Amino acid sequence: MTRHTLLNLASPSRDAFRVEGFRFAPRQHNDADTSVAIVAGLNGHELAQMHAAAQLVNFLQTHQAEDPHFITGEILIVPAVNTFGFNMGERNWPLDKTDINAMFPGFDQGETSQRIAHHLFEHLKGFEWGIELEDRRDQYDCMPYVRMIKSGFEDKKAAAYFGLQFAHYRDFVPSDAGSLQYNWSVWHTKTYGLVFGNKQQIETHTTNQILDSLIRFLAKVGAIRTKIFAGYATNIVTQDAITLIPSQRAGVFEPRQAVGSFVKKGDLLGKVFDSLDGSIREKIYAPVDGLITCHYHYPLIYQNTIAYRMISIV
Amino acid sequence: MLETLFTIELPVGESYQLKRHRFSPNEDQPEQGKRISIISGTHGDELEGVYVITMLAEWLKSNRDKIRGTIDLYPSLNSLGIDSITRTVPFYQADLNRIFPGTSRDTFPNQIAYGIIEAIKGSNIAIDIHASNIFLRELPQVRIAKTYAEHLVPLAKKLNMDFIWVHDAITVLEATLAHTLNSLGTHALVVEYGVGMRLTPGYGQQLLTGILNLLASEGIIDMMPFSVREPCYSDHGRVYYVNAPAAGLFVPAMDHCQSVKAEQIIGHIHDPYGVNPPIPCLTPGSGVLFTLREYPIVYEGSLIARIFDAQTGVCQ
C-alpha cells in the first residue's frame, strides 16, 4: 500500500486542505486484472462512509502484508474528500457552501470546489470500476442499497456482486449532472453508488455489512483474492416497483415498522401526533404488500412528506 | 388582492404559505389581459427583489386606473429563509432554485417548488429577481440560457438593465425556476444585481423603471413606454473571469462597474500572517468590471471579478 496526497490546497489561516488516497497494486503492476476506485466523504456528514472506506484500507493492508498475492488489481481508496467539512460538522465546502459532489468533472480555472473536483477527478479517471459511498441527502433511514443511473455504461449484472438486497436502477435527472457517479460513467467507468447510513452517525452493523459488500465486489471483479460469503441475490428495482407513502399531516412522527420488514397491505406503519396537544393526527397504513426499504428518520415530520418507501414484486 | 395559494403544515404550530399579491383591472374576475409574474426570494439571503416588489406594489396601488392586465407579485418564495437570513430552505438545506419543478408529495422543499410552478405556470412573462450571493457584487443584468434567447432578449432589453448575458445551457440549471417556466411556455427572465443580505436602492429604482417599461410595452399598464438604457449584450463581446491565484484576504483596488484596461490591478490578496507579500490580481483584458468580490476571504479559485469586453461599443 502507498499513501498519496491527491490534493493540497492552502488556506488563508488554518491548516492546508489535503485529500489522501491509498493505492494497492499487485507486485507487478502489469499483472493487474482490473482497477477499482472507491471514494467516500464527498460531503462532511458522511461519517459512516468514511469509516467503512477506512476499514477497507485497513483490511486490504493487513491481508496484503500476510499474502503478497492477495492484491490482484489496482485499487485506489479515498476515505474523505471534504475533510474541512468533517472537522466542522458541515456537509458542503465550508466557505461558500457549495456541494463538491455537484462540481464534477470540475474546472481547473474555476472556483475552489470546481478545482477540488477537477484535481480529484484527474486521479479517478480511467478506472474500470468506480464506487461512490454516500448517504442520502434527506432524513431517511434506509436499507443499504446500490444505486445505478442509466447512462449507457452501467453494468447491471455486476451490481449483484455487492450482495445487497436490492439495487435501485433509475433514470438520469438534471441534478445528477455534476455528480461524481454520473461523470465517471461519462468517462466510461462502470459506476455504482452504495447508499447507506444515517446522517452523522456510525453504526457498526452497517459498517460491517458495507465492508463485506466491498470485499465481495473486489473479489468478484478480480481485484483481490479471497473467500467470502455470497451475500443476497440482488433484486434490480426500477421506479414502477417503488411505492411512496406520504404523511397527510405534520407533527411528531412515530415509526412502527423497521426498515427491512415485510408488511401486508393494511398493516400499521406509523403514527403522526399533534406536536402540542398529543392527539393522534394520522395513522399511516401500508397500501400494498412489500418490503420497507426506507422510513423517515426525524421526530418531526412535515405535511405530505414521504414517511415510508416500499418495494413490491411487480 | 393578497391571496394564499397553498399551505404546507409544519410540525409545530405553523404553516408554510405561498402568498401572492395580484393586481388586475377588476379583482372580481380571475385573470384579465396578459399575465406577468414578478418573483423574488428563492434564495433567503437575497433581498434586492423583495425591495423592488414593494416599490412596484406601491406604484400599482397608486395607479390602479392604468392596469390592463394581470400582475402577480411573489416577493418571498422561500419565506422561512427570507425571515431568517437562510439562503437554502431551512432544515433541508436545499437550494430551492435547483429542485424545480418539484413534486407534490416529497420533501418540504420539493413541495414548495411544485406549488410555485402550479401557481405561476400560465403566465405570459415571469421575472425572477435575484441579488448576488454574499460573496460578489453584480452590475444590474439579465441572464438568459441560449436555448431561449430568441424570445427573451427582446424582452430583456426593455428592463433598463446594464448587461444581458446569454450563456450556454448547463444541464444542472435545468432544475431552476426560470428554466422550468420557459419549458412550460412562460417567457421567464432572470435578473441579478447587487449583493446578498443587502439592498442597493439605486439599482432597485433602475429595475422598477425597467419593469414599468416592460409592462407598458406589453400593454399590461396603459402608459407610454419609459426611456431606458441600452444594455451591453454578451453576444457582442466576451466575458473574462478572474479567480484568486492564492488563499488570503482580498482587498479591492477598484470600484465596481468601472471601465478597465488589460493588466490593471483589481486588488491584492494579503497573507493574514504577513509572511508573504500581497499578491496582485490583474485584469486579463479591457472592459467593464461587472462583477467584483465583496467578501474578502478567498481560497485559490475563489471568483474575484468578471469583466465584459464589449466589442461593438454599445455600452453606455
XYZ file of all heavy atoms in Angstrom, chain A residues 16 89 96 103 108 136 168 194 202 213 226 272 274:
98
model
N -3.624 23.406 5.792
C -3.952 23.194 4.385
C -5.040 22.139 4.234
O -5.191 21.252 5.079
C -2.709 22.777 3.620
N -18.396 19.773 11.043
C -19.790 19.326 11.061
C -20.604 19.892 9.922
O -21.821 19.998 9.988
N -18.092 28.655 0.854
C -19.221 29.125 0.028
C -20.395 28.154 0.016
O -21.360 28.369 -0.710
C -18.755 29.435 -1.397
C -18.182 28.226 -2.105
O -18.311 27.098 -1.588
O -17.596 28.404 -3.197
N -19.949 19.315 -8.595
C -18.973 20.106 -9.347
C -18.177 19.284 -10.365
O -17.311 19.823 -11.049
C -17.980 20.760 -8.369
C -18.626 21.755 -7.450
S -19.317 23.133 -8.370
C -20.436 23.822 -7.163
N -10.315 23.431 -13.790
C -9.071 23.840 -13.108
C -8.895 25.352 -13.035
O -8.058 25.840 -12.295
C -7.850 23.173 -13.741
C -7.630 23.581 -15.180
O -8.542 24.195 -15.772
O -6.552 23.269 -15.726
N -27.858 9.579 2.134
C -28.982 10.238 1.488
C -29.005 11.682 1.950
O -28.695 11.982 3.091
C -30.298 9.551 1.859
C -30.492 8.209 1.176
C -31.867 7.674 1.509
N -32.920 8.520 1.003
C -33.549 8.337 -0.165
N -33.241 7.314 -0.916
N -34.495 9.170 -0.561
N -31.160 0.008 -6.863
C -32.131 0.938 -7.452
C -31.569 1.416 -8.793
O -30.519 2.050 -8.839
C -32.346 2.126 -6.502
C -33.396 3.074 -6.962
N -33.505 4.346 -6.474
C -34.391 2.940 -7.877
C -34.521 4.955 -7.054
N -35.064 4.125 -7.915
N -23.052 3.342 -3.467
C -23.506 2.499 -2.340
C -24.087 3.457 -1.313
O -23.361 4.279 -0.740
C -22.345 1.738 -1.704
C -21.909 0.417 -2.321
C -21.023 -0.346 -1.338
C -23.081 -0.417 -2.752
N -22.378 6.608 12.962
C -21.715 5.393 12.511
C -22.346 4.221 13.253
O -22.398 4.229 14.485
C -20.198 5.441 12.801
C -19.537 6.546 11.966
C -19.546 4.094 12.508
C -18.070 6.764 12.271
N -19.634 -6.080 1.657
C -20.077 -5.856 0.271
C -18.919 -5.426 -0.615
O -18.787 -5.882 -1.760
C -21.154 -4.771 0.227
O -22.305 -5.219 0.854
N -9.686 -13.667 -2.360
C -10.136 -14.048 -1.021
C -11.431 -14.825 -1.128
O -12.081 -14.833 -2.176
C -10.334 -12.798 -0.130
O -10.499 -13.202 1.215
C -11.554 -12.000 -0.559
N -48.763 9.855 13.361
C -48.359 11.255 13.468
C -49.201 11.884 14.571
O -50.438 11.817 14.540
C -48.576 12.009 12.135
C -48.196 13.484 12.294
C -47.767 11.368 11.014
N -50.207 15.256 17.042
C -50.170 16.718 17.162
C -49.028 17.070 18.124
O -48.954 16.532 19.233
C -51.502 17.234 17.705
C -51.557 18.752 17.727
O -50.756 19.376 18.470
O -52.385 19.313 16.998
